[in-house]
Amino acid sequence: TLLGEDFPLGTTNVVWTILDDNGNSHTCTYDVVVSDDENPEITCAADDELFLDASCMQILPDYTSLTTASDNCDAEVAITQSPAAGTVYTGEQVVTVTMTATDDSNNTATCTLDVTFTDNTAPSITCPSNVTVNLDENCMIALPDYTSSATTTDNCTDGMNINVTQVPAAGTMYTAEEVVTVTLTATDGAMESVTCTFTVSVEDSEDPVATCNDITIYLDENGMASIVANDVTESLTDNCTVSSSSIDISSFDCGNVGDNTVILTVTDIYS
């Protein structure tokens, strides 16, 4: 009887011989085929995240050593990977990697893991040099747009597609002399950002304008006379604000009888 007999994987040829009490015999043969149709078991590594390099590229690693597999018959199950280790990827994306376990009977099992390629490199930005702008005839100036004056680069995002913003915003109005610190921020397609700063000096370069009047004054009984700046001022204008006016001669005596040249000096608040 073959009851309880163990047969190895594959084909085993069995020979039966029958003998009677008189020594007569007869034989027959048949094959016992043992096959393995049970798939192996496989467990993938955890999902992975890889950071893109300075060229916005990264190489897919070999995950076979991080994958576990077992089988009912095969002690060393073959593990393969698709896409293959060494495959180069460019740009942010999620790649599904399939791991396959194959036993000696070509039974297979698969599992997958997601590999996320991430850009974590901030762009670079260079601000323009410090600049000076002048208040206009109304003592006002709108802050220019300096975003196009910045120089930007990034490992993944084309320079034309890097978003540059400005604080304070272009168009912000200024009505006095001051030094404004402008911050430019460059943001790439992965929302990584970097900033630079420069200064904008708001200045009043426009001189005030004065118009004088010729006047005649009379000496008093003591032979003296005096004037103030307003006496010879017809008009004073400035794009911002006049702070003071003065004259170089304000007192006169008998030695000044006749024409005298008086100089009117006008100063604005930024002089």
Side-chain angles (χ1 to χ4, degrees), residues 45-193:
D47 291 343
D48 199 9
E49 182 179 24
L50 303 176
F51 297 114
L52 297 164
D53 64 15
S55 300
C56 199
M57 303 172 68
Q58 192 51 267
I59 298 172
L60 188 68
D62 187 342
Y63 291 102
T64 57
S65 63
L66 301 176
T67 305
T68 59
S70 61
D71 187 64
N72 61 329
C73 293
D74 190 356
E76 295 184 3
V77 179
I79 300 174
T80 57
Q81 172 180 319
S82 179
T87 302
V88 178
Y89 289 91
T90 302
E92 288 196 318
Q93 57 187 296
V94 177
V95 176
T96 298
V97 178
T98 300
M99 310 300 297
T100 302
T102 305
D103 66 15
D104 287 338
S105 297
N106 286 321
N107 298 308
T108 62
T110 62
C111 64
T112 61
L113 68 146
D114 287 335
V115 179
T116 302
F117 291 85
T118 301
D119 173 21
N120 68 337
T121 301
S124 65
I125 185 171
T126 302
C127 275
S129 301
N130 296 336
V131 297
T132 299
V133 295
N134 293 310
L135 294 164
D136 65 13
E137 66 275 8
N138 297 312
C139 200
M140 303 176 68
I141 188 69
L143 187 68
D145 187 342
Y146 292 103
T147 57
S148 62
S149 300
T151 302
T152 59
T153 59
D154 187 62
N155 64 325
C156 290
T157 305
D158 181 85
M160 295 297 294
N161 294 316
I162 296 174
N163 185 42
V164 179
T165 57
Q166 172 179 315
V167 175
T172 301
M173 299 301 299
Y174 292 91
T175 59
E177 283 195 337
E178 59 181 297
V179 177
V180 179
T181 298
V182 177
T183 300
L184 298 180
T185 301
T187 304
D188 65 14
M191 302 308 294
E192 298 288 337
S193 62

